Amino acid sequence: MSDREVSVIVVTYNQEGTIARALDSILAQECDFDFEIIVGEDGSSDGTREICCDYALRYPERIRLLPEAPNKGVVDNYFDCLAVCRGEFVADCAGDDYWPCQERMQSQRDFLRSNPSDVAVMSDWRIVENGASVLSSQTERYRKYACRSEGGEMMRRVMGAVNDFPLLSAMMFRRGVLKDVMACRGVDSVRRREWGCEDLPVIVALSSRGPFGYLPVEATAYVVGESTVSNSRSEGALFDFYVKAATCLVDLIRIYSVDPDSVRGNLDSKISYLAGLASSAFTPERYARLRMLAEEWPAAVPVKARLRLAFMRFRR
């Protein structure tokens, strides 16, 4: 048995205005067991690290701050944190989000204790944007996650998600299950820097081993900010971000032998979107990247995407 029942991963970069709120919300959790907070501060250029150091000094029995290092990106930051976790269960919180419910950790841990066959438990999250907020379970596109899901069902849902991807930070999962998948399939079945994301491969890996339970708790306040990459107004930056996600999807389809037809909506959406971005923010490098991806695409490339690729060929 681990000396800590739950490990909470906090990844943060240039979030000096919000990181204290995130840490305070975790420290305020009311629970009858021990937990730890693993903070991955990713080479911020503002005062984020100084704030994290202050918290680590004030709460040495609770907070462990990863050693200072050059910026390494969200994938390496997240999995470096995971590698030093000691808890049986793992949850996470981004440095610009926070946990609004003080019973979240206790409730999710108790659920997993009472449901040993579930690899993880999903809860609700509050989406906060421009001063307004809405609960995920009250929105049409996320309502499908407000219930227990078998592993295969969850895998198809997340790999087929276009604009309705669930929030990993609203979940708690069994560290041993993820560790076992990485041992059996290889670390690179879950952790690859070129994928640019940690949530999709983690959820897919877990879903390959069992069901996800559901607990109607408001687990996380997800704050949508204009500075995030996915909200960038630069079409070039968006292409560079989403081409990694598309590559991740293609690779996971192969790793887990998923039928492409079961996630075709997401496949078609991603390749078409990328073709439009690459056409608007054309560079020979982006064209080459998209062309290579299209050749590996496990389904017929949509007509509009093929036409854009043909047009871009003459712009090289």
Side-chain angles (χ1 to χ4, degrees), residues 123-143:
S123 291
D124 304 327
W125 63 96
R126 184 163 295 279
I127 305 160
V128 182
E129 184 174 11
N130 297 325
S133 68
V134 62
L135 200 62
S136 60
S137 58
Q138 297 173 347
T139 65
E140 184 63 32
R141 63 176 177 166
Y142 294 123
R143 194 168 293 133

Side-chain angles (χ1 to χ4, degrees), residues 144-207:
K144 68 180 74 174
Y145 297 111
C147 62
R148 189 173 189 276
S149 302
E150 295 300 323
E153 181 183 19
M154 178 62 80
M155 184 181 291
R156 289 188 295 273
R157 281 179 176 172
V158 298
M159 294 183 73
V162 179
N163 293 311
D164 54 358
F165 192 83
L167 202 63
L168 177 60
S169 58
M171 303 179 191
M172 181 178 286
F173 64 85
R174 299 182 190 275
R175 182 169 65 92
V177 172
L178 185 60
K179 185 178 179 180
D180 186 57
V181 173
M182 296 171 77
C184 293
R185 292 184 177 271
V187 172
D188 67 351
S189 67
V190 181
R191 175 178 181 168
R192 294 190 194 180
R193 185 181 300 173
E194 63 267 26
W195 286 347
C197 64
E198 82 293 351
D199 47 3
L200 177 58
V202 165
I203 296 173
V204 169
L206 291 168
S207 67

Side-chain angles (χ1 to χ4, degrees), residues 18-179:
T18 58
I19 184 61
R21 179 184 64 185
L23 294 173
D24 285 340
S25 72
I26 303 168
L27 291 166
Q29 291 293 298
E30 298 176 355
C31 49
D32 60 12
F33 54 85
D34 203 5
F35 68 92
E36 65 178 357
I37 303 171
I38 309 299
V39 180
E41 186 284 309
D42 199 16
S44 301
S45 59
D46 62 4
T48 301
R49 184 157 193 92
E50 287 72 15
I51 296 171
C52 293
C53 287
D54 175 63
Y55 271 79
L57 287 171
R58 284 193 283 147
Y59 302 96
E61 77 292 346
R62 187 72 76 199
I63 296 177
R64 286 194 287 151
L65 175 63
L66 262 58
E68 188 171 8
N71 180 266
K72 50 192 169 184
V74 65
V75 173
D76 285 343
N77 194 17
Y78 183 88
F79 285 104
D80 284 351
C81 288
L82 181 65
V84 301
C85 287
R86 297 177 293 193
E88 182 178 356
F89 308 109
V90 176
D92 70 68
C93 182
D96 56 350
D97 297 336
Y98 61 95
W99 290 2
C101 175
Q102 292 183 325
E103 293 79 36
R104 175 240 167 103
M105 194 185 301
Q106 180 79 53
S107 298
Q108 289 188 323
R109 173 267 200 182
D110 289 351
F111 182 95
L112 289 173
R113 280 266 181 257
S114 300
N115 295 273
S117 65
D118 290 352
V119 299
V121 57
M122 163 69 79
S123 291
D124 304 327
W125 63 96
R126 184 163 295 279
I127 305 160
V128 182
E129 184 174 11
N130 297 325
S133 68
V134 62
L135 200 62
S136 60
S137 58
Q138 297 173 347
T139 65
E140 184 63 32
R141 63 176 177 166
Y142 294 123
R143 194 168 293 133
K144 68 180 74 174
Y145 297 111
C147 62
R148 189 173 189 276
S149 302
E150 295 300 323
E153 181 183 19
M154 178 62 80
M155 184 181 291
R156 289 188 295 273
R157 281 179 176 172
V158 298
M159 294 183 73
V162 179
N163 293 311
D164 54 358
F165 192 83
L167 202 63
L168 177 60
S169 58
M171 303 179 191
M172 181 178 286
F173 64 85
R174 299 182 190 275
R175 182 169 65 92
V177 172
L178 185 60
K179 185 178 179 180

